Amino acid sequence: MRYETESLAWVYENELRVEARGDDGASEIAEIEMEKFVDPWGRSSDWQTASIEEIDDTGEWYTTRFDFRDERYQSNVKPDTVIVTVTDIDGNQLVIEDDRKSGTTKLYAGFAAAGTAGAKTVRATRPVASLGLHGRVAVAVSVGAVAGGTFAHSLATSTTYSGEEVHDTYPMPVPPTPSEGTWETPEGLEITLPSGAVYEDPMGQGHDRGFGWEYIEETTDLTVGEIGHAVENAEKVVDDGEVRYIIGDGYSETDRVILSIIGGTIVTASASSAYNEDCGATVRFDESGNPEHALRDGKPIDEVTTLIEVIENPTRIVDAGSKRYYILKLGTNRVIMVSTRLYDQAYQALRTTLTGKGPDNAFRTVDEAMEEIERKHSDYKIVHDPENGIEC
């Protein structure tokens, strides 16, 4: 993540530009949010959720611009504290808390169980140049799995003032726990379900984190038997770096169980998904995670059932780089477009619902939705459009 204040016309530092990226660029980022504490003249304090303008979510950096002022009065009073939260498509979070008075920046990094097994909070305090002066404070964070079933955060901070850069790595081994069961995939890959553990959400956002059976039992309705059945009836295995995803057959024809595997160990499982039968594609989302980015205030839909309908019965499907777009015409002047992370033709993860200029922030036509894709991508391919004779 990197951020800096900006000026617009004659107004002094009225905006904060925030950029974030994952290993594969902007496509890894689901959302950036900012909270700010303003206290003009020391007698009218207020925490505010900053207004946001999304500039670009393609290419290398996911770029947003926030209102840096006291939005009650549109004054030029700068906030005393700014908290920026970046969430990736797997629910991992990075939080930057910048205290302008003390000139101190705190970094908080937390793993989401959907993406990795770590559950500890990483905190790093750096005396860096205070936000809102002259220059940039840059923060780089790497989250991932390393050899031996260990996860690590690598945090680096730097400022344009001193040129100093500090790197810290926080290894977080997955604690060994007893096994709840071991099964083999049809290809002979041995998979173990550990008893695991559940941890308090280090970000205080109300979402528990953890791994293994204890976490799966708390966050899904799956049973150990269903997990074993999914392994033994695996339809698809997708590798993404150190993480392996198994898409398994559920007990019914429509159920799909998605398992996240690290080194032969089941980290998480999810049955919250949609299945597009025409393209044989499973799209993962968790009701406690990603859908809140697709259904929050300002989005054209607010029901998980509508989200599933868009994915399972789209008017058109478009691939562009590492994204797949599902477009559904729901009625006159109402077209919904959902973007996903394209791991594989048979497996994607929900990113968000895009907003248009029609009623309730929907797109008015399929062509208008396509214009949005063309604005973001120079190269794309329509992979499913039955009305025009194109089928997966």
Side-chain angles (χ1 to χ4, degrees):
M1 184 206 303
R2 60 190 187 192
Y3 54 96
E4 63 182 332
T5 50
E6 293 184 335
S7 298
L8 184 64
W10 53 271
V11 182
Y12 178 63
E13 292 181 335
N14 67 323
E15 295 183 335
L16 179 70
R17 182 186 182 96
V18 181
E19 298 176 310
R21 69 180 303 278
D23 289 339
D24 291 334
S27 64
E28 297 284 336
I29 305 302
E31 185 174 48
I32 302 177
E33 301 172 288
M34 186 181 103
E35 299 288 329
K36 55 189 176 183
F37 180 77
V38 291
D39 188 15
W41 310 292
R43 58 177 183 269
S44 182
S45 63
D46 185 36
W47 274 102
Q48 300 174 5
T49 299
S51 298
I52 179 176
E53 175 190 0
E54 183 180 282
I55 301 174
D56 187 19
D57 65 351
T58 63
E60 182 180 6
W61 291 91
Y62 186 107
T63 305
T64 54
R65 183 184 291 129
F66 294 94
D67 195 319
F68 195 54
R69 302 168 295 179
D70 183 344
E71 295 185 48
R72 294 172 297 178
Y73 315 115
Q74 295 297 297
S75 69
N76 290 335
V77 173
K78 301 183 187 67
D80 293 334
T81 304
V82 169
I83 300 176
V84 178
T85 302
V86 177
T87 306
D88 74 7
I89 59 174
D90 287 320
N92 300 306
Q93 287 187 324
L94 169 67
V95 180
I96 306 296
E97 180 180 341
D98 195 297
D99 188 324
R100 294 183 60 255
K101 287 187 174 181
S102 65
T104 299
T105 297
K106 297 179 181 179
L107 289 73
Y108 303 83
F111 289 137
T116 56
K120 297 180 180 178
T121 302
V122 175
R123 293 186 174 90
T125 301
R126 301 278 181 262
V128 297
S130 182
L131 192 67
L133 298 177
H134 308 286
R136 171 177 298 181
V137 176
V139 182
V141 176
S142 175
V143 181
V146 296
T150 299
F151 296 81
H153 281 287
S154 178
L155 303 179
T157 64
S158 64
T159 76
T160 55
Y161 293 86
S162 62
E164 178 187 7
E165 186 166 316
V166 181
H167 290 263
D168 283 320
T169 298
Y170 299 81
M172 300 188 341
V174 180
T177 59
S179 170
E180 296 288 334
T182 299
W183 308 271
E184 286 190 4
T185 66
E187 289 74 27
L189 178 65
E190 188 174 281
I191 302 296
T192 298
L193 173 65
S195 60
V198 176
Y199 305 88
E200 182 181 352
D201 176 13
M203 296 301 162
Q205 301 296 318
H207 304 312
D208 287 332
R209 297 165 186 266
F211 72 100
W213 170 240
E214 286 194 16
Y215 179 81
I216 295 170
E217 184 180 34
E218 180 162 314
T219 57
T220 76
D221 293 326
L222 293 170
T223 65
V224 172
E226 287 175 306
I227 293 171
H229 182 81
V231 173
E232 293 174 341
N233 295 273
E235 297 179 352
K236 184 73 176 179
V237 178
V238 178
D239 290 325
D240 182 46
E242 297 287 340
V243 183
R244 171 172 287 164
Y245 298 98
I246 289 181
I247 303 165
D249 183 21
Y251 282 150
S252 73
E253 292 183 359
T254 56
D255 287 342
R256 294 293 185 280
V257 176
I258 303 168
L259 307 175
S260 300
I261 313 294
I262 305 293
T265 299
I266 298 174
V267 178
T268 64
S270 172
S272 299
S273 61
Y275 181 68
N276 183 276
E277 188 173 353
D278 292 323
C279 296
T282 298
V283 178
R284 187 198 81 221
F285 55 87
D286 305 294
E287 292 191 19
S288 63
N290 297 80
E292 66 188 22
H293 302 300
L295 305 174
R296 68 181 188 272
D297 291 345
K299 296 294 186 178
I301 58 176
D302 56 10
E303 297 287 342
V304 172
T305 54
T306 307
L307 188 63
I308 293 174
E309 183 181 1
V310 174
I311 294 168
E312 296 190 343
N313 301 290
T315 305
R316 183 176 296 178
I317 300 175
V318 181
D319 285 354
S322 60
K323 295 182 184 179
R324 170 167 286 186
Y325 296 90
Y326 290 84
I327 304 171
L328 175 62
K329 183 176 181 180
L330 284 175
T332 304
N333 290 330
R334 184 163 176 77
V335 172
I336 306 300
M337 181 162 63
V338 170
S339 67
T340 66
R341 160 78 184 278
L342 184 62
Y343 288 95
D344 184 89
Q345 294 296 314
Y347 174 56
Q348 295 105 52
L350 174 69
R351 287 195 75 244
T352 191
T353 304
L354 285 83
T355 56
K357 298 181 180 179
D360 298 322
N361 293 326
F363 295 94
R364 288 168 289 205
T365 64
V366 173
D367 287 343
E368 191 175 276
M370 289 300 300
E371 289 174 2
E372 178 67 11
I373 294 176
E374 292 168 357
R375 184 184 70 82
K376 296 173 177 291
H377 305 277
S378 59
D379 186 28
Y380 64 87
K381 180 181 180 180
I382 298 174
V383 297
H384 188 69
D385 185 0
E387 292 184 1
N388 292 296
I390 303 174
E391 296 187 0
C392 286

